[in-house]
Amino acid sequence: MMEAMDYDVVILGCGPGGLQAAVHAARRKVRVLVLGRPGASSLARAHVENYLCVPGKAPGEELLRIGREQAAAFGADFREEDVVRMEGPTEAGGFRLDLEGGETVLATAVVVATGVQRRGLGLKGEKDLVGRGLSYCVDCDANFYRGRRVAVAGDGSAAAHGALTLSRIAAEVHLVTREPATSPKLLERLGEAGVRVLTGRGVAELVSDEQGLRGIRLDDGTELELDGLFVETGAKGAMELVSVLGVEMDPEKFTYIVTNKNQATNIPGIFACGDICGPPFQMAKAVGEGCVAGLAAADHVRKRRQEAGGGDP
């Protein structure tokens, strides 16, 4: 059995909020792990020209590289993997995080800095098919497709892990992906589970009738007859990961995490920062909240150590 990795603070997301949280938590001399892929941050594909002390138009990809190096210099560890499941609080008061590659991380505190997913295929008739063969959440709707034909569309770990989950339920599973951004171990597990991975392709058209979805047409002309299509973009969203733990979301859209002035959620040990806490979606806001979240998470760890009689480093 694979031994779990043990950290004080685990940060989900390596955009500006997550990296700033990593810098401040690591400077407090706690063990910090940052999970996620730099390219998944919306900043990686943008330029910044309204951030204090950064003149001109700065490439977001370069800012993320510098931020990652800063956090690493203070002692933070990085793994380019996504979390597919969270459990907790455990008996010890911490959290268990299962990674896409099959490993497990134990954390005393978690900072959610995943950003917000802008998901959807943008295809004609998509909104009308939601709940009628089209879903955006494998964990929510997989059991409706027991013994049926399904496909998952997406490039990240959420899509790959969703296809793996469906392989234990559905009769036939396809994964439609431009370029799978996931670990080789997870791709290997997909093959072993019998998932048909269709790489270099995307969904071009939704085929339906009055009853609902009947299939999809790919951009290379291939047609698949299906009972269900799951759209899973990027990594697992905050709603899927933390709402099952009882983390409070905004009551109107159930999209953003509710935090206090210390970026703490209603669950002790879970903090959040950046876009996942709501607008405005600006780097300055994400960095400021990341600073607060990193410090608060480190303070939570040190308090827990004192309560356990382990002293304070």
Side-chain angles (χ1 to χ4, degrees):
M1 186 175 179
M2 197 176 297
E3 186 175 348
M5 296 176 283
D6 199 357
Y7 281 88
D8 293 319
V9 177
V10 172
I11 298 168
L12 311 185
C14 49
L19 291 175
Q20 190 68 64
V23 167
H24 279 82
R27 281 174 60 87
R28 288 288 180 94
K29 304 303 180 184
V30 296
R31 295 164 296 174
V32 176
L33 174 65
V34 182
L35 296 169
R37 294 177 171 82
S41 170
S42 58
L43 183 61
R45 300 173 297 278
H47 288 77
V48 175
E49 55 182 347
N50 62 347
Y51 189 72
L52 186 68
C53 301
V54 176
K57 186 178 289 188
E61 185 177 17
E62 179 67 5
L63 294 176
L64 291 174
R65 182 191 66 78
I66 294 171
R68 184 183 174 107
E69 290 178 355
Q70 287 177 314
F74 288 121
D77 292 337
F78 288 82
R79 287 178 71 96
E80 292 193 16
E81 287 195 68
D82 295 321
V83 176
V84 297
R85 184 180 295 106
M86 273 184 65
E87 296 177 358
T90 63
E91 290 185 6
F95 303 90
R96 172 192 172 103
L97 300 88
D98 294 334
L99 307 188
E100 62 183 71
E103 294 182 284
T104 297
V105 177
L106 301 178
T108 302
V110 175
V111 177
V112 183
T114 53
V116 290
Q117 289 183 309
R118 295 162 177 82
R119 59 189 181 184
L121 298 172
L123 296 177
K124 182 180 179 180
E126 182 174 348
K127 292 182 179 179
D128 295 333
L129 290 172
V130 175
R132 301 173 58 238
L134 180 65
S135 172
Y136 297 101
C137 181
V138 169
D139 291 341
C140 306
D141 298 330
N143 281 321
F144 294 122
Y145 297 89
R146 188 169 297 278
R148 309 186 78 176
R149 302 164 301 177
V150 299
V152 182
D155 301 327
S157 61
H161 191 266
L164 191 63
T165 298
L166 286 163
S167 71
R168 299 189 287 268
I169 298 171
E172 179 183 309
V173 182
H174 305 266
L175 173 60
V176 181
T177 175
R178 294 286 184 191
E179 185 177 352
T182 188
S183 70
K185 287 183 180 179
L186 185 51
L187 288 175
E188 184 179 332
R189 290 166 64 193
L190 288 171
E192 294 171 351
V195 175
R196 184 185 176 196
V197 181
L198 306 173
T199 58
R201 283 172 272 190
V203 180
E205 183 180 348
L206 302 173
V207 181
S208 64
D209 59 22
E210 64 277 2
Q211 300 300 317
L213 184 79
R214 288 292 172 261
I216 57 176
R217 184 173 292 110
L218 305 185
D219 51 14
D220 66 351
T222 302
E223 294 188 16
L224 299 176
E225 292 185 7
L226 300 172
D227 299 300
L229 173 66
F230 292 84
V231 179
E232 292 276 3
T233 59
K236 283 251 182 167
M239 182 175 73
E240 291 90 345
L241 286 175
V242 302
S243 63
V244 296
L245 305 183
V247 171
E248 183 182 357
M249 311 291 284
D250 71 285
E252 293 184 1
K253 296 184 178 180
F254 204 65
T255 302
Y256 308 122
I257 293 177
V258 176
T259 61
N260 63 16
K261 65 179 182 180
N262 293 320
Q263 300 305 127
T265 70
N266 60 309
I267 302 298
I270 298 185
F271 303 82
C273 62
D275 288 0
I276 194 58
C277 296
F281 302 128
Q282 296 288 329
M283 178 175 161
K285 171 182 174 290
V287 167
E289 291 180 350
C291 165
V292 176
L295 293 172
D299 287 345
H300 175 80
V301 170
R302 294 159 75 97
K303 181 180 178 181
R304 290 294 308 276
R305 286 178 181 170
Q306 290 176 337
E307 293 173 347
D312 195 22

